[in-house]
Amino acid sequence: MNIQRVSTGIAGLDTLLQGGFIPSRSYLVTGEAGTGKTTACMQFLLNGLKKKENAVYVTVDERPAEILQTAASLDWDLQKYVQEKSLVILDASAYFSGLAVGGAEKGADLQKIISDLAAYAKRMAATRLVIDPVTPLILSGDSPARVQDIARALMHLLQSNLTTTNLISSHLPRGFDHDPTNGIEEFLAAGVLILRVNQTNGRFSRTLTVKKMRGTSVEPNEYPFNIVKGSGIVLASPELRPAAAETEESFHPLEFFQLPKEEPEKDPTNT
Ligand SMILES: Nc1ncnc2c1ncn2[C@@H]1O[C@H](COP(=O)(O)OP(=O)(O)OP(=O)(O)O)[C@@H](O)[C@H]1O
Ligand SMILES: [Mg+2]
């Protein structure tokens, strides 16, 4: 059976993902500060909004006004969709900073957040949802086991309460040297995208890795990308070559030898 995929909105990534995300599932985009997570989230929503879909953006670190400003700096008019009511931006910072009224019990908060979210999504018949970033919610657990419990509960609540396709961002501490997603993603996501800023010989470059994508065959390579005004994240195209291949290409110590093409022998009877 061929499922209609949901475009990620990222030029080049849909090709890698055989059309995009599988609908009604949750995907994680993770990376250090400034690697492009918010850009990816906006791009995903904008792709749907342009097709007259409705969307919900849950923001945690930035105020809704800042989100609109960030979008405007990339030449994206999210404000228009807010005015048209096809986009709802929900500010969840109160929940995450523990300031929510009656929010003493974190487990109850989680359930309340997701049921509030589900109500919004249902009321406006949203097809796409972003939580940017989810990390403060997940890390509200006081031990690794508790964090995993919360992550699993969140996953379950999202899957059972929402029919939207979800892109959830999580930030990594700088220089995190072990599994960057800290094991959260195995409960949370049907797929994991890792964004990085690499430094080689004093030059910075951005890369995207598809670490995991259920139901989709994809090479776990690092793909270079740029953030471009008006387009957002744009993967190096058209070949979508992995980052490693790019450095190899710049230096060719061995030249491939090809036999010269032989002239076809003339047929003596055909003269
Ligand atoms: N208008 C723009 N044009 C080109 N690049 C931009 C523009 N605005 C931002 N950027 C670049 O995009 C990068 C990624 O920004 P983004 O907010 O998506 O990162 P993030 O991963 O969400 O960061 P954080 O972890 O702090 O939330 C910025 O660091 C900046 O270099
Ligand atoms: Mg961000």
Side-chain angles (χ1 to χ4, degrees), residues 30-42 57 61-62 70-75 132-133 169-172 195 197 206 225-230 232-233:
T30 188
E32 288 178 8
T35 47
K37 302 178 296 294
T38 296
T39 310
C41 288
M42 287 178 178
Y57 193 132
D61 282 352
E62 293 178 71
T70 307
S73 81
L74 283 157
D75 274 352
D132 180 32
S169 82
S170 76
H171 39 54
L172 303 173
L195 304 182
V197 174
R206 299 183 185 278
F225 73 84
N226 290 311
I227 296 181
V228 182
K229 213 172 170 160
I233 294 175

Side-chain angles (χ1 to χ4, degrees), residues 53-240:
E53 292 177 28
N54 295 337
V56 180
Y57 193 132
V58 182
T59 172
V60 181
D61 282 352
E62 293 178 71
R63 317 292 330 201
E66 289 171 332
I67 291 293
L68 295 179
Q69 277 166 10
T70 307
S73 81
L74 283 157
D75 274 352
W76 290 335
D77 189 3
L78 282 188
Q79 194 162 337
K80 177 181 92 177
Y81 296 103
V82 174
Q83 276 157 359
E84 285 175 11
K85 299 193 170 38
S86 51
L87 172 64
V88 162
I89 305 181
L90 302 173
D91 184 353
S93 53
Y95 281 115
F96 291 91
S97 57
L99 299 173
V101 183
E105 173 48 53
K106 286 285 180 194
D109 272 0
L110 188 66
Q111 214 139 21
K112 177 86 178 89
I113 289 169
I114 303 301
S115 65
D116 274 8
L117 254 182
Y120 270 107
K122 202 169 171 187
R123 205 176 310 142
M124 61 189 295
T127 50
R128 301 183 188 217
L129 174 109
V130 153
I131 305 177
D132 180 32
V134 78
T135 331
L137 174 63
I138 300 290
L139 297 182
S140 59
D142 42 17
S143 68
R146 180 82 186 116
V147 166
Q148 290 201 344
D149 280 351
I150 297 174
R152 195 183 287 115
L154 174 68
M155 167 65 181
H156 179 73
L157 286 167
L158 283 175
Q159 289 311 118
S160 52
N161 287 274
L162 288 149
T163 53
T164 45
T165 307
N166 311 316
L167 186 59
I168 291 161
S169 82
S170 76
H171 39 54
L172 303 173
R174 213 175 209 318
F176 219 60
D177 54 359
H178 55 281
D179 182 5
T181 46
N182 208 13
I184 292 168
E185 90 286 2
E186 69 186 81
F187 303 109
L188 196 62
V192 178
L193 306 173
I194 303 176
L195 304 182
R196 290 192 181 90
V197 174
N198 305 306
Q199 192 183 7
T200 340
N201 301 328
R203 287 182 61 195
F204 289 92
S205 60
R206 299 183 185 278
T207 61
L208 177 149
T209 304
V210 182
K211 185 184 172 196
K212 149 183 165 179
M213 201 54 61
R214 285 187 194 143
T216 311
S217 141
V218 57
E219 286 287 309
N221 285 318
E222 277 193 85
Y223 296 93
F225 73 84
N226 290 311
I227 296 181
V228 182
K229 213 172 170 160
S231 311
I233 294 175
V234 181
L235 258 59
S237 59
E239 316 85 355
L240 292 172

